[in-house]
């Protein structure tokens, strides 16, 4: 099947989406960054359970200072079903709308999810990097695929993540004795740089700052939107 734009993802069957993932996989570039980064962005999605409303947000930070530079949020509808392994088809269209609204495009994107640490090597970070042509990495709170050795308890400890004999990412402990996050390169960056940059984005929380701030941003707009709806229903506006 020919490659299609994210605006057309709603027309795909699950089998067609998997075929598209296989085609996109051939375009992945896991390689060193072309230039030092001055801005880094976090991206995240928030949903209300049993609803198809999508709250998408991207926040751009200076690097290494991690001060806010720009942000954009979008409220839209998910048009692709919730299917494990194909979640990027549900989330990418909304994230791209937020991307288009950004006044400053970042040098590197960090997405709340996987890069190549995915059964078909096409997690949300890889998918987003490919469709935007932007360096991207995944920072996931949970393991999707692969195995790793037990980490030392110290913050900054890492353990490579393997799918059989292939290195697809790494577990990174960001706080003493706290469960690790899972880092995997998405596109136009390698694993070593992905880990080093995420370590520099550690500000004492389990989740590194780009995706932590993106998570706060999308939950803020979701909560605000729900409050506005309630106020309208009550006749307060």
């Amino acid at each position: 099947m020919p490659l299609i734009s994210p605006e057309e993802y709603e027309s795909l069957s699950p089998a067609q989406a998997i075929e598209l993932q296989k085609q996109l996989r051939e375009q992945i570039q896991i390689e060193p960054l072309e230039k030092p980064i001055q801005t880094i962005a976090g991206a995240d999605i928030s949903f209300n359970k049993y609803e198809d409303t999508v709250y998408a947000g991207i926040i751009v930070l200076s690097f290494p200072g991690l001060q806010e530079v720009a942000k954009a949020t979008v409220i839209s509808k998910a048009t692709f079903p919730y299917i494990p392994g194909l979640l990027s088809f549900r989330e990418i269209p909304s994230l791209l709308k937020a991307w288009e609204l950004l006044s400053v495009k970042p040098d590197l994107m960090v997405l709340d999810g996987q890069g190549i640490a995915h059964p078909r090597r096409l997690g949300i970070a890889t998918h987003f990097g490919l469709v935007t042509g932007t360096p991207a990495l995944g920072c996931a709170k949970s393991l999707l695929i692969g195995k790793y050795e037990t980490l030392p308890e110290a913050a900054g400890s890492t353990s490579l993540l393997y799918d059989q004999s292939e290195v697809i990412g790494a577990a990174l402990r960001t706080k003493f004795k706290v469960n690790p996050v899972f880092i995997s390169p998405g596109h136009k960056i390698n694993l070593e740089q992905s880990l080093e940059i995420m370590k520099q984005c550690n500000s004492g929380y389990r989740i590194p700052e780009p995706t932590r701030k993106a998570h706060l941003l999308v939950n803020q707009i979701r909560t605000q939107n729900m409050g506005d709806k309630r106020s309208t229903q009550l006749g307060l506006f």
Side-chain angles (χ1 to χ4, degrees):
M1 62 178 291
L3 295 181
I4 67 171
S5 68
E7 290 79 9
E8 300 173 275
Y9 286 171
E10 62 184 306
S11 67
L12 292 175
S13 67
Q16 289 174 323
I18 289 172
E19 182 58 33
L20 181 55
Q21 284 183 326
K22 293 176 180 177
Q23 294 181 44
L24 288 170
R25 180 175 178 171
E26 300 302 315
Q27 302 176 25
I28 300 170
Q29 301 171 40
I30 303 303
E31 58 191 21
L33 287 165
E34 294 181 353
K35 60 179 182 179
I37 63 171
Q38 296 182 315
T39 53
I40 186 169
D44 199 6
I45 291 280
S46 183
F47 292 93
N48 288 321
K49 199 170 184 180
Y50 307 121
E51 292 185 8
D52 59 2
T53 302
V54 181
Y55 302 88
I58 301 175
I59 184 164
V60 182
L61 308 175
S62 61
F63 185 85
L66 302 178
Q67 299 302 307
E68 183 179 321
V69 174
K71 62 185 176 184
T73 58
V74 167
I75 301 174
S76 60
K77 296 290 184 181
T79 57
F80 192 88
Y82 186 99
I83 302 173
L86 298 176
L87 296 182
S88 62
F89 289 92
R90 183 176 173 88
E91 300 178 359
I92 285 282
S94 297
L95 286 173
L96 285 178
K97 291 177 182 177
W99 173 262
E100 292 165 1
L101 293 174
L102 282 175
S103 59
V104 176
K105 297 295 193 290
D107 297 320
L108 175 65
M109 285 290 300
V110 184
L111 290 101
D112 180 23
Q114 313 293 340
I116 61 169
H118 179 278
R120 288 174 293 279
R121 305 298 180 260
L122 211 87
I124 181 76
T126 305
H127 199 154
F128 189 90
L130 284 168
V131 297
T132 59
T134 301
L137 67 91
C139 179
K141 294 184 285 291
S142 59
L143 181 66
L144 177 63
I145 185 175
K147 296 181 179 180
Y148 64 99
E149 295 184 354
T150 302
L151 287 162
E153 295 179 341
S157 300
T158 62
S159 178
L160 292 178
L161 181 64
Y162 287 89
D163 182 15
Q164 297 184 25
S165 61
E166 182 182 355
V167 176
I168 56 173
L172 168 64
R173 197 183 302 282
T174 53
K175 291 184 66 176
F176 180 66
K177 287 189 175 182
V178 169
N179 288 338
V181 293
F182 299 93
I183 309 301
S184 56
H187 185 53
K188 292 188 174 182
I189 189 172
N190 61 26
L191 176 58
E192 292 76 15
Q193 288 177 322
S194 298
L195 278 170
E196 182 58 33
I197 290 168
M198 286 296 91
K199 288 179 181 180
Q200 291 183 63
C201 290
N202 185 359
S203 61
Y205 297 92
R206 180 188 175 221
I207 308 302
E209 280 298 274
T211 45
R212 189 184 79 85
K213 289 189 173 180
H215 176 76
L216 294 173
L217 176 64
V218 294
N219 280 310
Q220 179 184 33
I221 63 167
R222 179 175 58 85
T223 302
Q224 180 179 340
N225 186 64
M226 292 171 63
D228 291 345
K229 285 182 178 179
R230 292 193 188 99
S231 297
T232 300
Q233 292 168 356
L234 292 171
L236 300 179
F237 290 164

